[in-house]
Amino acid sequence: MAEEKDFTIQNYLEFIQNKKLMGSKCKDCGKLYAPVRKLCTKCNSLNMEWVELSGKGELAAFTSITVGTPYFIDLGYDRNKPYCFSVIKLEEGPMVSAQLVGVDESKPDLIKIGTPVKVKFLENELKGETNIDLGFEPA
Amino acid sequence: MGKLSKRVAIVGAGMSQFGQLFPLKRNPDLWVDAWVNAVKSVDNGIAPKDVDACYVGNYSSDLFNHQGHLGPQMANLVGLTPKPASRFEGACASSGIALRQAIIAVASGIHDVIAVAGVECMNQLPTSLVTDALATASDALFEYPAGATFPGLYATVASAHFHKYGTTSEDLMRIGIKNHENGAENPFAQMQRTIKQLMQSKLKKLEEQGKDLPNWNDEFDYLRSSSNPMIAYPLRLFDCSLVTDGAACVFVASEETARNFTDTPIWIAGTGQGSAALSIHDRDDLTGFIATREAARQAYEMSGYGPKDMQIAELHDCFTIAELVALEDLDFYEKGKAAQAIKEGETKRDGVRPINTSGGLKSKGHPVGATGAAQAVEIFKQMRGRAERNRQVKFDVERALTHNLGGSGATCVVTIYEK
Ligand SMILES: CC(C)(COP(=O)(O)OP(=O)(O)OC[C@H]1O[C@@H](n2cnc3c(N)ncnc32)[C@H](O)[C@@H]1OP(=O)(O)O)[C@@H](O)C(=O)NCCC(=O)NCCS
Ligand SMILES: [Zn+2]
């Protein structure tokens, strides 16, 4: 059962590998954290529970990157094929960083902040291995 | 709380040449150059025997140069060992923190004089690895795997600011144009050329190559063209600071000793430091930096001055958007109002409150860990009327401010100076 897992980064990331966006919720004050946190910084409680998030939210801020990180260069992105890094405000409140897909990255001026989005777990193949990365696309 | 227990002054400050200098210059070479220039700036002279400790600001010699433990290395090169020598790290705010800690240590009475160093030699790595080393100053767990680069994080902040306040790319271009105009007057700057001059040499190059000449009427046309490639939308090449090798040195002295060194010390009126979540997604407001607001609040409170009292300032323009946001976070302008003031020329060298007379990080260069100390060098020169070439502002500067931002805004140090 999800509730038994410790509130660690590794467990949060493993949920994502299993295509689940999970957060931790403070049982004392109700504050919700994603990515996961073990200590509630609102009320100092350690009394947390795992909750699954709907994966719905809206685009809070973004960029389209032409000079990318080594991982994204390995995934085939470059000046002619930029990718979008975004900050997503989830409907439950927290914000997360993720790749934004399903948009025209080469026309970033057409991408609008406030656009409703939904989670899309990205299956990235690299060196024979499949990695699941957190992504979002327009809803 | 919130007060220095005695007055503290800057009695000397100098910097090395900034530029793409590796392998001609490495950290030790850069630092000794900065020290020598700082020593020259002390009116009555200063010797190692007068200095009690060496505080070194450096972001990542570990990654850039495969060298840690810079404190004693730098201290020894200028004759300060066996005195205390330590390194301070806070990404691009590293030497801002070293300066602040020196101020606090001198105010405590434990030391009378501290040499503050800022050093960074970045060009030992190729750009791709520099980018990767810089990325470790942002969140490596969640932002970096999502593709965030440094320019990318500031671009994300820019997107939020554009959306909320109608800021445009042209507003940012004005910041770059101004800072290059200032840097052209700074013999220590990495790019001592205005954007107009860079545009003209580009045109000349194209002409020599027999290529079709673009129809650029002014710098804005040039900056909108493919000669200014997109790095992370909406930030282009000329919105980014430079990758720089350089060092700076500042002598901080106690109230009792300051007058031994000079009749015109520059006094520290206030110092403040703030922090924020490392990841920008963990911050409530993406259009500004809470760490700056907190650092400014402390520094204003300590000094008894407000934003309107600041006559000049060196702001951390690691990206053009960062200068615009800083103008608002420091309350120089209301939120969303800085762009208009910039357009009206208020931040130019002949404007009401000149910003980044040194050329800023954009044109002077940004050896990340050296930047905070280098900002203090410019203020020291301007307040004593000794800025080189045509860069000296035309009025007497009684009060000034520096703003040194670390990483994607998770650390900020604000320092206020007075005569
Ligand atoms: C933007 C950036 C990636 C460009 O690097 P690059 O593509 O390797 O650039 P190069 O060094 O190959 O230089 C290519 C040309 O652009 C020029 N150039 C490089 N950076 C420039 C900049 N920031 N502004 C203007 N011109 C620049 C160079 O002078 C060179 O001109 P030339 O061809 O006429 O000689 C790099 O400058 C950068 O990462 N800047 C940001 C640094 C940073 O993040 N600092 C920390 C901030 S907190
Ligand atoms: Zn709680």
Side-chain angles (χ1 to χ4, degrees):
Chain A
M1 245 173 72
E3 277 73 17
E4 287 161 9
K5 287 197 185 226
D6 199 3
F7 301 94
T8 58
I9 311 263
Q10 184 60 21
N11 285 332
Y12 172 80
L13 295 174
E14 272 173 20
F15 277 127
I16 289 178
Q17 289 307 310
N18 292 307
K19 302 193 177 180
K20 270 178 177 228
L21 180 57
M22 303 289 286
S24 57
K25 188 172 178 184
C26 175
K27 288 201 256 183
D28 290 327
C29 77
K31 172 114 178 147
L32 184 62
Y33 296 90
V36 67
R37 292 208 185 191
K38 184 182 190 124
L39 174 67
C40 176
T41 47
K42 190 174 171 201
C43 78
N44 284 321
S45 167
L46 283 165
N47 200 7
M48 290 280 184
E49 63 181 338
W50 285 102
V51 290
E52 181 161 6
L53 302 166
S54 69
K56 288 189 210 140
E58 63 172 51
L59 182 61
F62 76 100
T63 177
S64 168
I65 297 185
T66 33
V67 182
T69 63
Y71 178 61
F72 278 74
I73 291 170
D74 285 345
L75 291 176
Y77 294 101
D78 62 18
R79 178 160 295 290
N80 300 317
K81 191 186 168 206
Y83 63 90
C84 275
F85 165 83
S86 65
V87 175
I88 305 294
K89 183 154 179 65
L90 300 170
E91 66 176 4
E92 293 91 348
M95 296 204 286
V96 291
S97 293
Q99 186 180 355
L100 179 68
V101 298
V103 292
D104 187 349
E105 291 90 344
S106 57
K107 295 203 180 70
D109 40 333
L110 299 181
I111 301 173
K112 291 281 171 267
I113 286 178
T115 301
V117 294
K118 62 178 196 296
V119 72
K120 181 177 169 76
F121 292 98
L122 308 169
E123 297 185 12
N124 287 316
E125 305 265 348
L126 203 63
K127 294 175 191 130
E129 281 186 35
T130 306
N131 198 33
I132 310 291
D133 288 313
L134 183 61
F136 284 82
E137 62 181 355
Chain B
M1 206 208 127
K3 287 272 172 228
L4 297 175
S5 41
K6 59 180 181 183
R7 294 183 85 201
V8 177
I10 295 181
V11 296
M15 61 191 277
S16 74
Q17 184 64 52
F18 275 17
Q20 198 170 334
L21 303 173
F22 180 87
L24 253 46
K25 302 269 182 179
R26 297 167 201 250
N27 278 333
D29 310 308
L30 295 164
W31 159 237
V32 172
D33 289 350
W35 165 275
V36 168
N37 286 334
V39 168
K40 273 190 215 152
S41 78
V42 180
D43 299 328
N44 303 336
I46 193 165
K49 67 168 171 42
D50 303 320
V51 179
D52 304 318
C54 184
Y55 282 14
V56 181
N58 169 266
Y59 164 49
S60 197
S61 54
D62 320 57
L63 295 175
F64 292 129
N65 322 107
H66 202 73
Q67 171 74 64
H69 211 173
L70 248 50
Q73 185 186 26
M74 299 303 138
N76 182 256
L77 291 163
V78 295
L80 292 179
T81 44
K83 293 164 181 171
S86 320
R87 167 176 160 192
F88 296 82
E89 193 269 315
C92 318
S94 295
S95 59
I97 296 175
L99 174 62
R100 175 177 153 83
Q101 291 304 319
I103 292 164
I104 292 169
V106 168
S108 80
I110 197 165
H111 296 307
D112 268 324
V113 180
I114 298 181
V116 176
V119 273
E120 205 85 62
C121 180
M122 303 169 73
N123 285 292
Q124 189 163 350
L125 295 181
T127 306
S128 59
L129 293 181
V130 168
T131 307
D132 219 35
L134 288 170
T136 67
S138 61
D139 165 38
L141 283 170
F142 305 114
E143 282 178 340
Y144 184 70
T149 58
F150 237 85
L153 290 167
Y154 279 91
T156 304
V157 167
S159 79
H161 202 282
F162 279 28
H163 178 74
K164 187 147 179 205
Y165 300 108
T167 317
T168 66
S169 295
E170 280 69 23
D171 293 330
L172 301 187
M173 288 171 186
R174 285 186 191 97
I175 295 170
I177 292 169
K178 166 184 71 72
N179 288 351
H180 273 268
E181 277 168 3
N182 290 341
E185 302 294 334
N186 186 347
F188 294 94
Q190 176 163 358
M191 271 186 129
Q192 296 173 35
R193 307 185 67 197
T194 64
I195 291 184
K196 190 166 259 163
Q197 288 167 340
L198 291 164
M199 172 178 96
Q200 279 152 357
S201 45
K202 182 80 188 187
L203 282 170
K204 207 164 150 223
K205 211 164 164 188
L206 291 172
E207 196 174 351
E208 281 164 10
Q209 292 168 345
K211 297 224 174 98
D212 285 347
L213 289 191
N215 195 6
W216 295 331
N217 288 314
D218 57 15
E219 298 111 307
F220 292 96
D221 284 344
Y222 169 63
L223 292 175
R224 279 187 286 256
S225 77
S226 60
S227 289
N228 183 22
M230 198 62 82
I231 302 291
Y233 173 86
L235 302 182
R236 293 168 178 264
L237 182 66
F238 274 85
D239 290 299
C240 301
S241 57
L242 302 162
V243 174
T244 307
D245 310 318
C249 174
V250 177
F251 291 115
V252 172
S254 63
E255 190 167 11
E256 297 85 347
T257 60
R259 304 264 179 207
N260 301 342
F261 299 107
T262 174
D263 295 336
T264 51
I266 299 303
W267 298 98
I268 301 297
T271 163
Q273 182 173 342
S275 64
L278 204 53
S279 337
I280 63 172
H281 64 235
D282 274 333
R283 304 185 195 154
D284 292 335
D285 180 15
L286 293 178
T287 64
F289 296 112
I290 182 85
T292 301
R293 292 206 167 265
E294 174 61 17
R297 187 192 63 74
Q298 295 167 15
Y300 287 141
E301 200 173 294
M302 187 185 290
S303 69
Y305 296 126
K308 295 214 161 42
D309 300 313
M310 300 299 114
Q311 296 169 284
I312 62 168
E314 288 287 304
L315 306 188
H316 195 95
D317 59 322
C318 52
F319 297 93
T320 47
I321 182 68
E323 178 168 325
L324 184 141
V325 165
L327 287 169
E328 298 174 352
D329 285 340
L330 293 164
D331 278 335
F332 285 5
Y333 299 102
E334 259 174 64
K335 212 80 190 167
K337 296 281 163 60
Q340 184 59 29
I342 292 167
K343 194 171 180 181
E344 285 164 15
E346 293 195 7
T347 60
K348 288 189 173 181
R349 205 161 63 240
D350 58 359
V352 293
R353 189 201 284 115
I355 301 293
N356 284 331
T357 53
S358 68
L361 286 43
K362 176 68 203 77
S363 162
K364 179 186 57 181
H366 185 23
V368 282
T371 282
Q375 291 176 323
V377 172
E378 177 69 7
I379 295 298
F380 185 74
K381 288 180 181 175
Q382 288 284 355
M383 290 185 80
R384 293 171 19 118
R386 304 206 191 149
E388 301 87 357
R389 294 189 188 152
N390 255 328
R391 191 163 106 253
Q392 181 64 47
V393 297
K394 298 287 177 273
F395 52 88
D396 190 30
V397 185
E398 294 285 338
R399 292 168 307 276
L401 176 149
T402 55
H403 158 265
N404 189 197
L405 194 64
S408 36
T411 294
C412 185
V413 180
V414 170
T415 314
I416 296 176
Y417 310 78
E418 66 183 335
K419 267 195 192 147

